[in-house]
Amino acid sequence: MLGAVQLGVLAACIVLFVPMGMAGWHLSRNKMLFFSGALFISLAVGVHLSPYFPSISDFMSSPASSTSSSSSSSAAVDSGNNRDSCLSLLHEIVFDVDPVSSVNGSVYYLKSWGWPQTGPVSECEFQKLGRPDTSDLLNGSWVVVAGDSQARLVALALLSLVLDSERMDSVRGDLFKRHSNYQIVVSDIGMKLDFVWAPFASNLTDLMVELKQNSSYPDVLVMGSGLWHMLHVHNASDYGVSLELLKGSVTSLLPLSPELGDDGPVTGSVSFRPPPFFWLGMPMLINSMLNTKEKRERMDDAAFNAYEIELHQSKILRQFGGPLLLLDIHSLTRNCGKRCTEDGMHYDAAVYNAAIHIMLNALLIESHQKL
């Protein structure tokens, strides 16, 4: 390119100065004619050289275009970073557990919770949703909650946000029938909720296979397992294998069936974000409060930690490259503490209510909505 420009400049010099010198020799007595000829020749040279240089408009617009493109790209990255940052802060919840009365030596506590109003968490503008906002967000949705008794309590907490107290009284009796499924349609908002009793990871895998065979995919899926496996199988490695199988079945439900790598779902060169599927973590187990000898022997801290390691290594969670967002019941129950449970395993409604609001705020973040 440089050689072509140099050649063009040399040719221009020949074209420009030789004729001008000759014209100056013959036209020196007529200055007007001389400068007219020089101007004509200069224009001819300009036309001759124009292919070798970028246009002024290109020169002026390129930096602006580059800056605009860079700004747009930067804004997109910042938006994605902010979204992921806020998702990671959703569990920064503070519980207040205050004694309110004492009857026959038993102390009763008032439990409340909320997000800090200062620091990075406050910038995310998390919010507790009332019935109207929850109804708007879940309007027309199919929600599936699958798992053990922890999942049943999560389903109860969700329904308590969209149903009035009178209807909730009838719901509790049907929802808590021992080891059974439950289905309800909230006709006011067109929301359907299915609770599926699936205490083992293998049960959840069967559910994923059934959903795929029927080509029916919920708008929101919450599922979890571990407690029953810890109690009845008590083999963390076997639990890890079950989670690997479950991860594969969940992945098969995702759009375009993306491959899951160490850095998350990938579909070639197209960025991919999984749908809002959630994993329900196990609660903090308070061994001394567990109500049977078998539970106290099998569900200790060592067993819990081994099962948590298998969960992380399975990479079923999005934070480790998998498809499921974690609803970290363990951190919530730990923050609420012993005063929030009567049996060391099932906790006060405030814990599961907080978990539902974490899920709802995650849905808002993922869908770029504000209420």
Side-chain angles (χ1 to χ4, degrees):
M1 178 64 184
L2 186 58
V5 172
Q6 291 173 335
L7 184 61
V9 171
L10 178 61
C13 290
I14 295 173
V15 171
L16 176 62
F17 294 114
V18 171
M20 284 186 67
M22 295 178 65
W25 178 264
H26 294 286
L27 302 175
S28 57
R29 294 181 181 179
N30 191 333
K31 293 182 180 181
M32 181 63 69
L33 185 60
F34 171 75
F35 285 112
S36 297
L39 179 61
F40 174 78
I41 295 172
S42 298
L43 291 174
V45 170
V47 173
H48 180 75
L49 288 179
S50 61
Y52 297 97
F53 297 97
S55 68
I56 293 176
S57 60
D58 290 342
F59 178 79
M60 296 297 291
S61 64
S62 293
S65 175
S66 175
T67 302
S68 174
S69 175
S70 175
S71 298
S72 175
S73 175
S74 176
V77 170
D78 288 344
S79 175
N81 289 340
N82 290 337
R83 182 169 64 246
D84 290 337
S85 175
C86 286
L87 284 173
S88 69
L89 294 172
L90 274 169
H91 289 88
E92 300 295 320
I93 282 177
V94 178
F95 283 88
D96 288 324
V97 184
D98 301 315
V100 292
S101 63
S102 177
V103 179
N104 297 327
S106 298
V107 180
Y108 292 88
Y109 296 92
L110 177 65
K111 294 100 175 180
S112 60
W113 64 273
W115 286 282
Q117 298 302 305
T118 59
V121 176
S122 64
E123 297 176 4
C124 293
E125 299 180 346
F126 300 140
Q127 53 190 309
K128 292 185 181 181
L129 276 62
R131 181 171 290 114
D133 286 338
T134 303
S135 299
D136 286 344
L137 181 60
L138 298 178
N139 184 29
S141 297
W142 177 28
V143 181
V144 173
V145 181
D148 53 24
S149 55
Q150 298 292 316
R152 201 184 296 269
L153 289 168
V154 166
L156 180 68
L158 177 57
L159 289 174
S160 69
L161 278 177
V162 296
L163 298 176
D164 57 39
S165 57
E166 182 178 350
R167 192 170 183 189
M168 281 302 300
D169 290 337
S170 63
V171 164
R172 284 186 179 88
D174 294 333
L175 179 60
F176 281 87
K177 288 180 180 178
R178 186 174 177 81
H179 302 171
S180 62
N181 298 341
Y182 175 77
Q183 183 181 93
I184 184 173
V185 175
V186 185
S187 56
D188 297 347
I189 60 174
M191 186 193 88
K192 175 185 174 184
L193 182 140
D194 282 307
F195 169 76
V196 181
W197 174 252
F200 293 101
S202 57
N203 301 138
L204 296 174
T205 300
D206 292 341
L207 174 61
M208 299 302 104
V209 172
E210 180 182 347
L211 291 174
K212 185 173 183 180
Q213 288 177 343
N214 295 335
S215 297
S216 55
Y217 309 107
D219 300 294
V220 181
L221 172 65
V222 182
M223 60 179 175
S225 74
L227 293 176
W228 272 57
H229 197 286
M230 190 186 303
L231 178 62
H232 298 291
V233 181
H234 200 65
N235 185 320
S237 297
D238 182 81
Y239 178 65
V241 172
S242 298
L243 290 178
E244 288 285 351
L245 295 174
L246 175 59
K247 174 188 171 185
S249 65
V250 174
T251 304
S252 70
L253 292 180
L254 301 179
L256 304 179
S257 298
E259 297 180 1
L260 293 176
D262 292 339
D263 297 325
V266 177
T267 55
S269 60
V270 180
S271 61
F272 174 84
R273 199 164 191 88
F277 289 178
F278 298 88
W279 179 259
L280 191 62
M282 292 188 292
M284 179 179 71
L285 300 174
I286 304 175
N287 188 264
S288 61
M289 298 180 69
L290 299 178
N291 55 20
T292 69
K293 180 181 178 181
E294 184 182 19
K295 288 179 181 177
R296 290 190 294 272
E297 289 177 346
R298 289 180 165 240
M299 306 179 81
D300 56 13
D301 289 342
F304 182 89
N305 291 335
Y307 273 66
E308 284 291 284
I309 289 172
E310 292 296 333
L311 173 64
H312 296 168
Q313 290 181 344
S314 71
K315 296 185 178 181
I316 197 171
L317 301 179
R318 191 184 295 184
Q319 66 196 88
F320 300 110
L324 303 179
L325 280 167
L326 175 64
L327 291 179
D328 193 354
I329 299 298
H330 183 260
S331 72
L332 296 178
T333 52
R334 184 183 66 246
N335 291 344
C336 203
K338 291 183 178 181
R339 292 175 294 182
C340 293
T341 179
E342 295 183 357
D343 64 2
M345 181 184 298
H346 303 96
Y347 282 75
D348 189 84
V351 168
Y352 304 101
N353 183 262
I356 287 298
H357 279 86
I358 288 172
M359 182 193 79
L360 296 176
N361 277 269
L363 293 177
L364 289 173
I365 293 171
E366 292 281 274
S367 60
H368 305 279
Q369 295 185 60
K370 281 192 175 184
L371 294 175

